[in-house]
Amino acid sequence: MRVRALLLRAGSPFAQLWFRIRKPTTFGVKALLRQADGRFLVVRHSYADTRRWALPGGGYKPTRETPAEAAAREIHEELGIALPAEAFTVLDTTVTTLEGKHDTLTTLAATAAGDTLRLSPEIAEARWVGDLAELGEAPVSQWLVRALASS
């Protein structure tokens, strides 16, 4: 495991504890990326629950960027895929306290031209799949399931 990934994994419990104590207001995005053939991208993060398949994404500050701009930035940072913000459409916006923080989470979708990925240390594994059944018995993020149902 790479050094940055190890640091992210080691710090994750402390971040989660801080969220539960401080209860900050945050804003986040999740991105459902599809291929023209219908496959979609799932990732496993190198921190927190590393067994769970999820959507790529991250936090943003709404005073600095829109959810679509944040999704484009996160996809480029985490996966090396360059997409313009205009390529993303909003699927859903919800407020959640699931991680102990007050998070406004926007899920967006876009179509990627290619399937080549360059993983950042935040991503332990990524794969293009045609169906959730391809992931076997591994746990799946509720946000991934909701995004697929909305698209």
Side-chain angles (χ1 to χ4, degrees):
M1 191 179 271
R2 298 167 284 190
V3 173
R4 184 161 181 235
L6 283 171
L7 292 173
L8 285 169
R9 184 140 190 200
S12 180
F14 299 106
Q16 291 174 3
L17 178 62
W18 182 81
F19 289 152
R20 296 208 185 287
I21 294 169
R22 183 77 165 80
K23 299 186 184 339
T25 297
T26 59
F27 295 84
V29 293
K30 298 285 183 190
L32 175 63
L33 292 183
R34 289 193 176 274
Q35 293 288 311
D37 63 8
R39 291 178 300 148
F40 54 93
L41 185 69
V42 294
V43 300
R44 284 184 170 164
H45 290 93
S46 58
Y47 54 89
D49 187 353
T50 59
R51 297 178 322 114
R52 184 175 308 279
W53 288 104
L55 294 170
Y60 75 100
K61 298 208 181 300
T63 57
R64 295 187 188 157
E65 60 189 346
T66 66
E69 290 167 339
R73 176 183 50 76
E74 287 288 343
I75 292 303
H76 189 258
E77 288 174 1
E78 292 182 357
L79 302 161
I81 298 173
L83 290 170
E86 297 77 29
F88 289 88
T89 58
V90 174
L91 295 176
D92 184 40
T93 299
T94 188
V95 176
T96 177
T97 57
L98 189 63
E99 296 177 351
K101 55 187 175 178
H102 183 269
D103 193 23
T104 300
L105 182 65
T106 302
T107 305
L108 303 100
T111 301
D115 60 3
T116 303
L117 305 171
R118 180 182 33 84
L119 305 184
S120 81
E122 291 181 51
I123 305 297
E125 184 179 358
R127 111 176 36 157
W128 294 97
V129 297
D131 189 283
L132 289 178
E134 292 179 39
L135 302 174
E137 296 297 317
V140 177
S141 161
Q142 70 169 319
W143 308 118
L144 171 56
V145 173
R146 283 178 67 165
L148 290 171
S150 298
S151 64

